[in-house]
Amino acid sequence: MPAASNPNIFTVSRLNSEVRLLLENEMGIVWLVGEISNFSAPVSGHWYFTLKDARAQVKCAMFKGNNRRVSFKPQSGQQVLVKARLSLYEPRGDYQLIIESMQPEGDGRLQQQFEELKMRLAGEGLFAQTNKRPLPEHPSRVGVITSQTGAALFDILDVLKRRDPSLPVVIYPTMVQGEGAAIRIAQAIGTANERNECDVLIVGRGGGSLEDLWCFNEEIVARTIAASQIPIISAVGHEIDVTIADFVADMRAPTPSAAAELVSRDNSHKTQNVQVRVNRLFNATKLYFQQQKQAMTHLVHRLERQHPSYQLERQSQQLDDLERRLQRAMQQFILRRQDALERKQNLIEQASPAGVINLQTHQLSRAEQKLIEAMKRQLLVSKHQVALAAEKLDTVSPLATLKRGYSITQLDSGEVITEQKRVKTGDVLITRLAQGKVTSVVQ
């Protein structure tokens, strides 16, 4: 049966597409802690890197629409907490994470724990407005749970002294920072409930970092506040600081001083009552908006998976990948061409006439030198032979005979006279001696 007509036989493209949909639809959003490695930021503005731990790693992509919200510059070797959705890069079949947000590990972990506990307690109804106890309009005694040396206690006492000096205050000193602080705060709340000597409790401290305020985000503190029979005002940090205790408490005050104003009586107590109700409304509205924001975020994630921008993100990542492959291919092509060019240059140099000419010039020079040497040897031999011939010729030469006193007589025609009958009167005779000659006439 042909593969195209059998729905049970997958193509590679179809398989990767199905796996991608399974990952994106089934897993949803995940939180992940890991170490960044192989970080790269191409000109497209997207980020690509790997998150790893001691035993495994996963590839990640963070598109520029999300990474522009990151407040720090990621570096290889840095520990981070990321919020991501699972996906699959279909062209290579690579399982990967699409990062939506990133934080340094320390702050990120605390923020994640904060969000998880807030959602869990909200789901249990601890933040519900129906569980809030009303504050007494005219408290007879106020309890303060905070550090006995902190600035928050002095701020509260200053406000109470200024607004209502007659209002009794009971201080339940406790740690408000560091290890064991959450247990101590819970114990102080329990002690106040056991004594039952106050109408309202202020629980809080001054401002600080997320880590400094973390004891007010612990579950034990939240559940102790929720179980308290005495109304509690949460007064932790500054206006911008928000803790789990703020959501569970019967009232949230933006600062410890504001909490003191809420429980103290003066001519503006009616305004305070209105403010209490406004704060309650604010807290209820804020919680409602947070719940709606969470639901909207879930819907946005579902919409994003169907949005054209999601497809553009995948195509943009594919484009970056193709660009890297093209660059590698071009570099390899150039290297191969350079190697081939070098080989051809070597061959040209080996076959170049200049080399042959140089060799033949050298050979010619050597042959010329050999010829000169041979001519010199031949000249010496010839000189020696001439000397020998001259010596032999000298032994038979008539000149030698003349030197011994003999002479040669010739006619003027050059004929040598050897017989008297060859001479007649009037002939001119030339007699050659060893030194010179004598001319005579026959009479």
Side-chain angles (χ1 to χ4, degrees), residues 215-233:
C215 57
F216 293 94
N217 291 320
E218 296 281 0
E219 185 173 358
I220 186 173
V221 173
R223 294 195 180 278
T224 304
I225 292 175
S228 174
Q229 298 302 313
I230 302 174
I232 292 179
I233 299 175

Side-chain angles (χ1 to χ4, degrees), residues 156 202 205 233-239 252-260 262:
I156 292 172
I202 298 175
R205 55 154 288 165
I233 299 175
S234 175
V236 181
H238 303 300
E239 177 72 32
R252 174 187 182 261
T255 63
S257 298
L262 289 175

Side-chain angles (χ1 to χ4, degrees), residues 376-392:
K376 288 180 179 179
R377 288 195 298 272
Q378 184 62 38
L379 182 59
L380 290 174
V381 171
S382 297
K383 285 182 179 180
H384 182 65
Q385 290 176 348
V386 169
L388 291 177
E391 188 177 341
K392 289 181 182 181

Side-chain angles (χ1 to χ4, degrees), residues 54-154:
R55 294 182 296 176
Q57 63 181 16
V58 61
K59 292 183 178 180
C60 303
M62 190 172 192
F63 300 110
K64 62 181 179 181
N66 291 322
N67 64 35
R68 66 181 51 164
R69 296 193 296 267
V70 178
S71 60
F72 63 99
K73 180 64 174 178
Q75 296 179 352
S76 294
Q78 185 175 13
Q79 290 283 340
V80 294
L81 172 73
V82 299
K83 177 184 177 184
R85 48 185 168 85
L86 291 172
S87 185
L88 184 83
Y89 184 48
E90 295 182 30
R92 286 201 306 265
D94 286 344
Y95 150 72
Q96 66 177 5
L97 291 176
I98 305 299
I99 308 299
E100 294 188 355
S101 66
M102 179 189 302
Q103 300 176 12
E105 180 186 10
D107 295 343
R109 280 184 179 275
L110 293 179
Q111 188 64 36
Q112 182 188 16
Q113 293 174 15
F114 177 88
E115 295 294 337
E116 290 176 351
L117 180 60
K118 186 177 74 172
M119 292 177 61
R120 181 154 53 86
L121 296 181
E124 295 180 15
L126 266 69
F127 302 165
Q129 192 64 33
T130 55
N131 295 331
K132 307 296 184 182
R133 292 171 293 272
L135 299 182
E137 293 187 6
H138 304 288
S140 59
R141 185 178 286 110
V142 175
V144 179
I145 299 175
T146 188
S147 171
Q148 62 182 353
T149 60
L153 176 61
F154 296 102

Side-chain angles (χ1 to χ4, degrees), residues 135-137 139 159 163 251 258-279:
L135 299 182
E137 293 187 6
V159 172
R163 291 171 58 86
M251 177 67 66
E261 291 180 357
L262 289 175
V263 299
S264 57
R265 294 186 298 267
D266 65 356
N267 294 330
S268 61
H269 66 278
K270 294 182 179 179
T271 304
Q272 293 178 3
N273 291 336
V274 173
Q275 184 63 41
V276 169
R277 289 173 172 77
V278 169
N279 287 337

Side-chain angles (χ1 to χ4, degrees), residues 120-345:
R120 181 154 53 86
L121 296 181
E124 295 180 15
L126 266 69
F127 302 165
Q129 192 64 33
T130 55
N131 295 331
K132 307 296 184 182
R133 292 171 293 272
L135 299 182
E137 293 187 6
H138 304 288
S140 59
R141 185 178 286 110
V142 175
V144 179
I145 299 175
T146 188
S147 171
Q148 62 182 353
T149 60
L153 176 61
F154 296 102
D155 291 342
I156 292 172
L157 295 178
D158 286 343
V159 172
L160 293 179
K161 182 178 180 181
R162 172 173 51 84
R163 291 171 58 86
D164 194 354
S166 63
L167 180 62
V169 179
V170 179
I171 300 172
Y172 302 92
T174 180
M175 295 172 55
V176 291
Q177 181 176 336
E179 186 176 358
I183 296 177
R184 297 287 296 275
I185 294 171
Q187 291 174 344
I189 296 174
T191 299
N193 277 268
E194 289 176 1
R195 295 181 182 178
N196 195 24
E197 56 191 350
C198 299
D199 300 322
V200 64
L201 296 175
I202 298 175
V203 180
R205 55 154 288 165
S209 66
L210 181 60
E211 292 181 352
D212 295 339
L213 305 180
W214 189 250
C215 57
F216 293 94
N217 291 320
E218 296 281 0
E219 185 173 358
I220 186 173
V221 173
R223 294 195 180 278
T224 304
I225 292 175
S228 174
Q229 298 302 313
I230 302 174
I232 292 179
I233 299 175
S234 175
V236 181
H238 303 300
E239 177 72 32
I240 60 174
D241 298 321
V242 179
T243 65
I244 297 295
D246 295 335
F247 294 109
V248 183
D250 301 291
M251 177 67 66
R252 174 187 182 261
T255 63
S257 298
E261 291 180 357
L262 289 175
V263 299
S264 57
R265 294 186 298 267
D266 65 356
N267 294 330
S268 61
H269 66 278
K270 294 182 179 179
T271 304
Q272 293 178 3
N273 291 336
V274 173
Q275 184 63 41
V276 169
R277 289 173 172 77
V278 169
N279 287 337
R280 288 180 179 176
L281 178 61
F282 172 78
N283 291 333
T285 304
K286 185 175 182 179
L287 178 61
Y288 173 77
F289 281 136
Q290 288 177 341
Q291 293 171 344
Q292 293 301 313
K293 182 179 179 180
Q294 181 180 353
M296 184 180 69
T297 301
H298 178 69
L299 294 175
V300 168
H301 288 319
R302 291 179 57 189
L303 178 62
E304 285 178 348
R305 288 195 289 270
Q306 307 297 328
H307 198 276
S309 63
Y310 182 64
Q311 180 69 20
L312 291 176
E313 288 177 353
R314 294 205 309 271
Q315 292 177 350
S316 179
Q317 182 180 2
Q318 185 176 3
L319 180 62
D320 289 336
D321 181 59
L322 291 174
E323 182 179 359
R324 287 193 295 267
R325 291 171 57 188
L326 177 61
Q327 290 176 350
R328 288 195 298 267
M330 290 177 63
Q331 291 174 353
Q332 293 173 358
F333 175 78
I334 292 173
L335 289 176
R336 288 196 300 269
R337 289 296 184 183
Q338 288 178 343
D339 291 341
L341 180 60
E342 289 177 358
R343 289 195 299 269
K344 289 181 180 180
Q345 287 178 341

